[in-house]
Amino acid sequence: MTLLRLTATAAAAAISLASPAFAEGDAEAGAKTFKKCTACHMVANGDEVLVKGGKTGPNLYGIIGRTMGSQEGFKYGSGLAAAAEQGLTWDEESLVAYVQDPKAYIQEATGDSKAKSKMTFKLKKGGEDVAAFLNSLADGAS
């Protein structure tokens, strides 16, 4: 093996070890898993309803990249309101962590051990897929 090839291999290995261990989800699988979420959430872009669902939780259209607790017209609990004040935004990794244990995530993200979330449902598996699905519905998603 040449020195150049060895250096490139070592560099690639170092980069892969330095990257977070967060695998992309499967949007198709996420569409199926998201059916559990429709009891409380819908996905709508204005008047265009992409996924019918409840209104107990906020509309999840465009959630990836949105400031936490900022969906206009929705009354959030104190935990997500505090996250919004701190300017925290949703990305796929934070959404996955949140759906696995909303209360624990909000407490850690805000640094407030007493913070609570109105969402009590916990999605034990498939969060990566749901995040990929929701991201796929947003404008400009490929």
Side-chain angles (χ1 to χ4, degrees):
M1 191 177 273
T2 67
L3 181 58
L4 182 59
R5 188 183 278 164
L6 182 61
T7 303
T9 303
I15 289 169
S16 69
L17 291 174
S19 299
F22 183 72
E24 286 188 27
D26 177 344
E28 190 174 315
K32 293 175 186 171
T33 304
F34 189 75
K35 290 177 182 178
K36 297 177 184 179
C37 307
T38 59
C40 298
H41 298 279
M42 71 158 81
V43 182
N45 181 8
D47 291 334
E48 181 185 7
V49 176
L50 304 172
V51 181
K52 289 182 181 182
K55 296 181 182 178
T56 303
N59 174 9
L60 298 181
Y61 181 81
I63 190 166
I64 304 299
R66 182 192 307 162
T67 300
M68 293 180 185
S70 67
Q71 174 67 44
E72 194 171 316
F74 187 80
K75 184 170 171 39
Y76 289 91
S78 61
L80 277 170
E85 288 175 14
Q86 293 177 21
L88 301 178
T89 60
W90 292 113
D91 58 20
E92 289 188 24
E93 189 172 3
S94 60
L95 184 62
V96 170
Y98 180 76
V99 299
Q100 287 176 344
D101 190 340
K103 182 179 174 183
Y105 176 81
I106 286 298
Q107 288 176 347
E108 183 176 330
T110 62
D112 180 358
S113 63
K114 295 182 181 176
K116 294 181 181 176
S117 172
K118 286 183 173 182
M119 185 167 136
T120 57
F121 178 78
K122 295 179 182 180
L123 185 62
K124 296 296 181 190
K125 62 182 181 174
E128 295 90 352
D129 298 334
V130 169
F133 170 66
L134 291 172
N135 198 31
S136 75
L137 297 176
D139 286 336
S142 51

